[in-house]
Amino acid sequence: MDAEGKRCWTLKYSDFHMDILPSVPKISTLPNPSRNVTQIRLTHKENDSYFNRYSDPKAYRKWFTKQMEVSFSKQREIIARNKKVEIEEVKLFDVRTPLQMTIQILKRHRDIMFSGRDNKPISIIITTLAAKSYSGETNLYEAMEKVLQDMDKHIEFNNGKAVICNPTMDSENFADKWEEFPEKQQAFFEWLNKARKDIIQEPLEFAGGMGTMKNRMRELFGSKAVNQTFDTYEEKNIKEKNKGNLGVTKEGNIGSIASSNIIAPLSTHTFYGK
């Protein structure tokens, strides 16, 4: 069943949902409008009454792209080279930078953690704090570590009130509900601490085989996504092994034969019969 929220309408489908934000250009309310104005006037409902609120998603998109400009440019070059096209033909939606993948993983972790629970941290807060924390890391793990380490450093407190400003519109505080509903603030920090433990700390201390790791990842991110990831990883390893590109380290781990830690190459196998 579809539902009306404070600002969005949620359209519910069998296996996903879509949030729709009714809005009109703010330019229509100005006496001397400028074509450079990209702000919107959106719905904001409280106690069955509607009030004016404003945002600027186009400016936010520009800001977000700027935050990942270096890694985005590198990814565009790689994709353009692989597809043998001009770099201008590679659009934003064609690229997945470490920042974008980090945010996807964090949101998935949040969804699993808060399944059936209230006060789930909202996506715009996770996205904004992650983008502010990102420093251009080109490695996914390093980007994740940096983001989780620094996210809360970008939350300001004014007389005890949490402030997470829209970086393109200071008047919009993404944490405006935290003062009225302190349980939302508590839930955010509960999630952040758990994400640090689950994604960064525990894997560094992990002892066990791939099967054990796979089961743990299912608990954190859901079976479907984890099964697909491990299947892809296994298929890739089989192909690399058959090409003679994999070896074993002295610790017993599998890695690229080009690594200096490799002490012996993996043998290829020939299977007979059906």
Side-chain angles (χ1 to χ4, degrees), residues 15-16 20 41 48 68 117 133 135 149 152 161 206 211:
D15 56 351
F16 70 97
I20 306 296
R41 181 166 65 97
D48 296 324
M68 57 179 187
R117 289 180 53 185
S133 303
S135 298
Q149 175 183 313
D152 53 340
K161 178 182 177 181
F206 180 79

Side-chain angles (χ1 to χ4, degrees), residues 69-113:
E69 185 175 28
V70 174
S71 58
F72 175 71
S73 297
K74 289 181 179 178
Q75 291 293 326
R76 282 185 84 191
E77 289 175 6
I78 293 171
I79 293 173
R81 188 163 56 247
N82 291 339
K83 290 185 175 182
K84 297 180 179 178
V85 299
E86 294 296 324
I87 192 170
E88 291 76 14
E89 295 181 44
V90 181
K91 306 302 180 185
L92 177 62
F93 55 79
D94 292 321
V95 179
R96 283 293 174 268
T97 66
L99 173 59
Q100 291 171 304
M101 290 187 284
T102 292
I103 292 170
Q104 286 179 312
I105 293 170
L106 292 179
K107 287 165 65 176
R108 180 63 178 171
H109 180 273
R110 172 210 59 188
D111 289 345
I112 297 297
M113 177 178 172

Side-chain angles (χ1 to χ4, degrees), residues 196-207 216 220:
R196 286 169 171 166
K197 178 175 179 289
D198 292 341
I199 301 174
I200 300 299
Q201 296 167 10
E202 274 194 355
L204 292 177
E205 302 166 357
F206 180 79
R216 177 57 177 153
L220 301 178

Side-chain angles (χ1 to χ4, degrees), residues 141-191:
Y141 179 84
E142 292 175 354
M144 180 71 73
E145 185 177 36
K146 179 67 164 57
V147 165
L148 284 174
Q149 175 183 313
D150 290 354
M151 283 181 83
D152 53 340
K153 295 178 182 178
H154 299 284
I155 302 174
E156 300 176 15
F157 287 89
N158 186 0
N159 294 325
K161 178 182 177 181
V163 178
I164 304 172
C165 284
N166 180 338
T168 62
M169 182 181 286
D170 290 342
S171 60
E172 185 175 19
N173 177 16
F174 293 139
D176 58 354
K177 294 182 181 179
W178 285 11
E179 184 176 28
E180 183 181 358
F181 303 102
E183 59 271 23
K184 292 184 180 295
Q185 179 175 324
Q186 181 180 350
F188 171 81
F189 283 101
E190 179 190 353
W191 165 76

